[in-house]
Amino acid sequence: MDKKSNRIKILKMEIASTSYKNKGRLKLVLGLTLTYLIAEIIGGILTKSLALLADAGHMFTDVGGLALALFAINIASKPASPEKTYGYYRAEILASLTNAIVLIGISIYILYEAYQRFLNPPEVQSKAMLIVAAIGLVINIAGMLILRKSSKESLNMKGAYFEVLSDMLTSIGVIVAGVIMLTTEWYYADPLLSAGIGLFILPRTWILLKDSVSILLEGTPKDVNIADLRAGILQLNNVEELHDLHVWSLTSGVNAMSAHIIISANANYNESLQDMNRYITDNFKITHTTLQLEKTGNNESQMHI
């Protein structure tokens, strides 16, 4: 096995190991979230608190989002086939995209419901609301700590982390609203703080949505500077021209590249290819490369710009 194959194998093993760890973390957070969701729905109905029901709404999307993220990891681990030559890597990106869309929808609904309640705020059982929200805050903080490291490794896990983060913020809002209503009986605090949380979540979810769409549109990965990549390849021995350079992500952390490269007339194809692959893999962590090499004077090179 050549050095390039070894490096790519190591990268793939790292990705597989990360997916395995993420799966375990997701299962743990999903169990905690599902348990609390049941209690929170009951508490929200009994206390008539919009903030608590908003938190329950986010918890519900958390359960669905975490389950979807877990399902996506299982699907993404399936091997490639003749019909799916790259495998199922994109399943994780579809999961993060779905989570982002659902979160945006829930946030907009909370803003609408907060507006309705602001016009006619109902009396809320603040003490019971505080107890339920405090339990939720502890569970959400635990979930965030479990998922925080994973959120930097995958858009799918980042989406799951944002789900739990949004609920943690909602729980804090519920507690603040509960204290205000308990001490002042100012029931406008409930819809007001719910609206603030919805507005806080929207821009962060929008970023997740944009990142997911960028990968689906095969945009250049954020961790690859294509100008540096181009300049680096051109400075390699025997490289004279570079055309049709494309870099994209199959999923978070799995980048692919293709290029048409003109090499010197006296260059050795195998040596040149090995040098390029070594440079690309070592410096840009690109696991899939498709390089078309041609020597100076080949007429086909005139077809590219």
Side-chain angles (χ1 to χ4, degrees), residues 10 34 45 51 63 96 101 152 186 213 224 246 296:
I10 290 171
L34 182 59
I45 293 172
V63 170
S96 68
I101 292 172
K152 301 175 183 178
W186 190 63
V213 170
V224 175
H246 302 283
T296 302

Side-chain angles (χ1 to χ4, degrees), residues 130-143:
L130 276 171
I131 294 172
V132 177
I135 296 172
L137 179 60
V138 172
I139 291 176
N140 288 326
I141 290 174

Side-chain angles (χ1 to χ4, degrees), residues 57-58 60-62 64-65 68 95-109 163 205 209:
H58 276 168
F60 181 76
T61 60
D62 278 356
L68 184 61
S96 68
L97 178 67
T98 302
N99 280 341
I101 292 172
V102 170
L103 270 172
I104 288 174
I106 290 292
S107 297
I108 292 174
Y109 174 75
E163 295 267 12
T205 307
L209 180 65

Side-chain angles (χ1 to χ4, degrees), residues 89-259:
Y89 286 126
R90 287 285 168 89
E92 292 195 61
I93 303 305
L94 291 173
S96 68
L97 178 67
T98 302
N99 280 341
I101 292 172
V102 170
L103 270 172
I104 288 174
I106 290 292
S107 297
I108 292 174
Y109 174 75
I110 289 173
L111 290 173
Y112 170 77
E113 189 64 26
Y115 171 73
Q116 295 295 323
R117 292 236 179 165
F118 193 76
L119 295 177
N120 186 26
E123 185 175 345
V124 178
Q125 297 179 29
S126 308
K127 188 176 293 186
M129 168 184 164
L130 276 171
I131 294 172
V132 177
I135 296 172
L137 179 60
V138 172
I139 291 176
N140 288 326
I141 290 174
M144 285 181 61
L145 291 175
I146 293 170
L147 296 178
R148 183 172 61 179
K149 183 178 179 180
S150 300
S151 69
K152 301 175 183 178
E153 301 168 347
S154 155
L155 272 183
N156 185 36
M157 296 301 294
K158 187 176 183 180
Y161 178 79
F162 275 172
E163 295 267 12
V164 180
L165 171 63
S166 69
D167 269 323
M168 188 273 291
L169 294 171
T170 308
S171 294
I172 292 175
V174 172
I175 291 172
V176 172
V179 171
I180 292 174
M181 289 184 289
L182 188 64
T183 56
T184 67
E185 296 186 355
W186 190 63
Y187 295 110
Y188 286 103
D190 185 55
L192 190 62
L193 284 171
S194 297
I197 292 166
L199 291 172
F200 182 82
I201 294 168
L202 274 174
R204 286 152 183 78
T205 307
W206 180 253
I207 292 173
L208 175 64
L209 180 65
K210 283 173 53 180
D211 289 345
S212 301
V213 170
S214 178
I215 288 182
L216 292 175
L217 293 178
E218 299 190 344
T220 302
K222 287 186 175 180
D223 56 347
V224 175
N225 186 316
I226 200 163
D228 289 347
L229 175 59
R230 178 185 295 276
I233 294 174
L234 286 172
Q235 59 84 33
L236 294 175
N237 291 334
N238 298 315
V239 174
E240 297 191 354
E241 297 180 52
L242 173 63
H243 305 286
D244 291 348
L245 173 61
H246 302 283
V247 184
W248 66 98
S249 292
L250 299 176
T251 188
S252 301
V254 183
N255 299 330
M257 168 194 159
S258 66

Side-chain angles (χ1 to χ4, degrees), residues 41-56:
I41 290 175
I42 296 172
I45 293 172
L46 294 178
T47 62
K48 299 180 182 179
S49 167
L50 172 62
L52 201 55
L53 287 173
D55 196 17

